[in-house]
C-alpha cells in the first residue's frame, strides 16, 4: 500500500519543481482543475495543459495530448482524472521522464502509484497540490 512522502519531502519537492503538466485540465473556469492550474501559475510554476479534448489555449498555454508530447522536461505530473483512469497517465509520466506523479484529492490508484514508484518517480496520492504549496512553501 502506498505511503505519501512526509510533509518535509513534499515541501522540498514543491520548492524545487518549476514545471507542472496538468493532466485532465479543463478549459471551463468553474472546474477545479482550471482553478488549481491558475493558482499554480500565480505561484510561479510553468504549466502544461494535457487533455486531448482541448483545441485551444487554456490559461494562456497550448494544450498537449500527452505528457510525452510536451517538448520540455516536466517536474510534476498533476492528475485530475478518475482514479480508474490513472494507470495510463502513470505510464505516460514514466515514459516522459517526469520526477513526480501527483494524484489530486480523491484520486487514488495503488497500481499506478506502485508502477510510478518502481520507475523512480516520487508519488503523492490523494492530496491537493495547491493546498500543499500554499501551506508548506507559501506564496512567496
Amino acid at each position: 500500500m502506498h505511503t505519501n512522502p512526509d510533509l518535509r519531502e513534499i515541501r522540498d519537492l514543491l520548492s524545487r519543481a518549476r514545471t507542472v503538466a496538468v493532466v485532465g485540465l479543463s478549459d471551463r473556469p468553474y472546474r477545479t482543475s482550471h482553478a488549481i492550474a491558475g493558482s499554480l501559475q500565480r505561484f510561479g510554476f510553468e504549466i502544461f495543459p494535457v487533455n486531448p479534448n482541448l483545441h485551444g489555449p487554456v490559461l494562456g498555454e497550448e494544450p498537449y495530448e500527452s505528457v510525452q508530447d510536451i517538448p520540455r522536461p516536466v517536474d510534476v505530473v498533476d492528475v485530475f482524472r478518475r482514479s480508474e483512469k490513472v494507470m495510463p497517465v502513470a505510464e505516460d509520466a514514466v515514459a516522459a521522464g517526469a520526477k513526480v506523479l501527483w494524484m489530486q484529492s480523491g484520486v487514488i490508484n495503488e497500481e499506478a502509484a506502485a508502477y510510478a514508484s518502481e520507475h523512480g518517480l516520487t508519488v503523492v496520492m490523494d492530496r491537493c497540490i495547491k493546498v500543499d504549496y500554499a501551506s508548506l512553501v507559501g506564496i512567496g
Side-chain angles (χ1 to χ4, degrees):
M1 185 158 170
H2 174 74
T3 302
N4 281 333
D6 66 31
L7 294 180
R8 177 188 293 159
E9 290 175 84
I10 291 174
R11 182 191 67 224
D12 291 347
L13 77 85
L14 289 173
S15 296
R16 288 190 308 269
R18 293 288 128 238
T19 55
V20 180
V22 184
V23 177
L25 179 58
S26 174
D27 57 359
R28 298 179 188 132
Y30 59 86
R31 297 298 299 256
T32 304
S33 62
H34 194 280
I36 290 175
S39 293
L40 293 175
Q41 283 181 316
R42 287 187 293 280
F43 293 156
F45 290 98
E46 182 177 8
I47 66 152
F48 299 96
V50 177
N51 184 335
N53 298 316
L54 295 174
H55 302 292
V58 178
L59 296 167
E61 302 294 338
E62 289 296 324
Y64 296 90
E65 288 197 24
S66 72
V67 178
Q68 293 177 73
D69 291 336
I70 298 169
R72 300 192 34 222
V74 172
D75 296 318
V76 178
V77 175
D78 187 19
V79 184
F80 287 90
R81 299 288 321 265
R82 283 191 223 138
S83 296
E84 66 270 15
K85 305 271 186 179
V86 177
M87 189 61 191
V89 178
E91 293 167 341
D92 188 28
V94 166
K99 297 174 186 161
V100 178
L101 179 68
W102 191 297
M103 293 179 243
Q104 278 296 136
S105 298
V107 181
I108 300 166
N109 187 310
E110 293 288 345
E111 180 186 15
Y115 178 85
S117 293
E118 289 165 8
H119 288 85
L121 278 71
T122 300
V123 176
V124 179
M125 186 163 57
D126 193 24
R127 293 188 67 94
C128 179
I129 193 169
K130 173 188 173 185
V131 170
D132 279 353
Y133 186 88
S135 66
L136 299 173
V137 179
I139 299 173

